[in-house]
Amino acid sequence: MSVRTIPVLVVLPPRCLLLDVAGPLEVLRRANLEQRELRFEVRYVAATRALTCSIGLRMDRLGPLPRRMPADALVLIAGSVDELAFADADRQPARDAADEQAIVDWLRRSVGRGRTVVSICSGALLAARAGLLDDRLCTTHFDCCAELAALAPAARVVENRLYVEDQGCWTSAGVTAGIDLMLHLVGTWTGPACVAAIARQLVIYLRRGGGDPQLSSWLDGRNHLHPVVHRAQDLIAADPAAAWPLDRVAAAVGASERQLSRLFNQHTGMSLPDYVNGLRIALAAELLGQTRLDMDRVAERCGFGSARQLRRAWRRLHATPPRQARSGP
């Protein structure tokens, strides 16, 4: 089996906000455990060999900012705090300013605008100083939006968004939004079943996407902790187009039909057939947006008996017709 590797460089600024690092990187750690087709290889780099993070924890043996990196590397820029909660005496403003400038110079020189960049929280400020956000849509923690706009007047700063993407540059809002962003990225690389399993292990309620006011159907009904229901959902999410009568699913998860039906309604707020149809419509939306398949082929690939059946199911969830899910001309 061929295994794809994504190198990840985690850039740690002075006074880095620990949750900006721990949250997204825990998602990557779980991704390496949940599947075998994609591996994340992580390196932590900084302008100094050691630094103190937001909660006073000393981080040592950090790698230097590399002169070269793989072309497919993902560069993650963590945010920072103004004050260290438990170690104020360790702060040296002049040294911190010099280290921040070293990171900015490195980002401008070695990263540039052609790589995949992910900024967490106020990490966007360093990306802005390096010119990486010019002419791009971006966001950051709500307390930093005005500063971001001042640092990057050519950027299009948006507020009230968990995360946004523009030309391979991903920026996220405050702190835990970095977890949402990393779950989204992992989901695009590995699929919904893997990311749902990661979220369940981390006991995270999967929130909406960056600008989507509604929950994704892939994630809807996952805000619970019942193992039998999650097993049923994992089974269906792995192949929504298959036939999923109640008796088949119940036998696969070791429950009676009556028990599974009751548990599924109780913990997801919907029936099992409604869950299956929701995933099939989500799959149809992806195929309509990413392929030029006609409606009959889309319906067939998603488990519907006909394009008419697809349209009928679509109308239950969407106000606009499926043709509007097409991207491009």
Side-chain angles (χ1 to χ4, degrees):
M1 180 181 65
S2 175
V3 179
R4 178 189 173 197
T5 298
I6 296 182
V8 180
L9 269 69
V10 182
V11 183
L12 305 176
R15 312 176 315 283
C16 76
L17 182 55
L18 185 58
L19 192 53
D20 283 1
V21 181
L25 269 295
E26 188 62 24
V27 172
L28 297 186
R29 185 185 76 86
R30 289 301 316 181
N32 281 347
L33 296 175
E34 294 291 343
Q35 48 78 48
R36 291 292 179 263
E37 292 76 25
L38 179 65
R39 312 301 294 164
F40 297 96
E41 292 186 350
V42 177
R43 293 170 55 196
Y44 299 93
V45 300
T48 56
R49 184 174 173 80
L51 57 82
T52 303
C53 73
S54 56
I55 61 171
L57 183 68
R58 190 70 172 169
M59 306 173 75
D60 205 347
R61 294 195 291 182
L62 305 173
L65 300 169
R67 294 183 180 181
R68 296 181 180 179
M69 70 188 79
D72 58 347
L74 183 154
V75 179
L76 187 150
I77 311 169
S80 61
V81 297
D82 292 331
E83 301 295 336
L84 300 176
F86 312 115
D88 288 335
D90 184 69
R91 184 178 179 189
Q92 300 180 31
R95 183 198 62 189
D96 288 354
D99 289 346
E100 286 184 358
Q101 188 59 51
I103 291 174
V104 170
D105 293 342
W106 174 78
L107 289 171
R108 183 183 295 113
R109 179 180 64 251
S110 300
V111 177
R113 293 173 60 86
R115 295 183 182 274
T116 300
V117 174
V118 174
S119 72
I120 309 298
C121 197
S122 62
L125 303 180
L126 296 175
R129 289 168 59 184
L132 302 184
L133 302 184
D134 289 350
D135 302 314
R136 283 173 165 165
L137 200 68
C138 57
T139 193
T140 186
H141 191 282
F142 64 86
D143 275 345
C144 301
C145 282
E147 185 178 1
L148 179 60
L151 286 172
R156 291 168 290 160
V157 180
V158 294
E159 301 184 37
N160 299 319
R161 299 279 289 276
L162 286 175
Y163 53 83
V164 296
E165 184 273 340
D166 195 341
Q167 304 172 62
C169 184
W170 298 82
T171 52
S172 66
V175 195
T176 59
I179 299 175
D180 294 280
L181 171 53
M182 195 55 68
L183 284 168
H184 172 78
L185 288 172
V186 169
T188 63
W189 293 320
T190 66
C194 176
V195 77
I198 294 169
R200 187 167 69 253
Q201 286 293 327
L202 299 182
V203 198
I204 293 172
Y205 173 38
L206 282 159
R207 295 187 287 187
R208 58 190 180 276
D212 189 350
Q214 298 181 6
L215 287 168
S216 164
S217 293
W218 294 108
L219 309 178
D220 200 6
R222 288 285 193 164
N223 185 27
H224 65 86
L225 299 175
H226 200 286
V228 170
V229 178
H230 275 303
R231 285 202 299 272
Q233 290 174 300
D234 289 344
L235 186 70
I236 297 165
D239 188 10
W244 294 115
L246 180 61
D247 60 344
R248 180 188 176 191
V249 181
V253 301
S256 69
E257 295 177 38
R258 181 176 181 180
Q259 180 190 30
L260 178 60
S261 180
R262 176 180 59 80
L263 289 174
F264 209 96
N265 276 281
Q266 177 183 344
H267 291 280
T268 70
M270 68 185 84
S271 69
L272 190 143
D274 284 343
Y275 181 74
V276 173
N277 275 328
L279 293 192
R280 288 176 174 175
I281 291 299
L283 179 58
E286 291 181 6
L287 291 174
L288 289 168
Q290 300 171 12
T291 74
R292 307 315 299 171
L293 294 173
D294 61 35
M295 200 65 69
D296 288 319
R297 291 291 304 280
V298 170
E300 179 184 354
R301 289 199 180 188
C302 296
F304 293 105
S306 64
R308 181 179 180 182
Q309 188 182 44
L310 165 58
R311 291 189 180 95
R312 188 162 56 244
W314 184 283
R315 284 196 297 269
R316 298 193 191 104
L317 299 175
H318 297 282
T320 56
R323 66 174 179 272
Q324 291 195 14
R326 290 283 190 196
S327 60

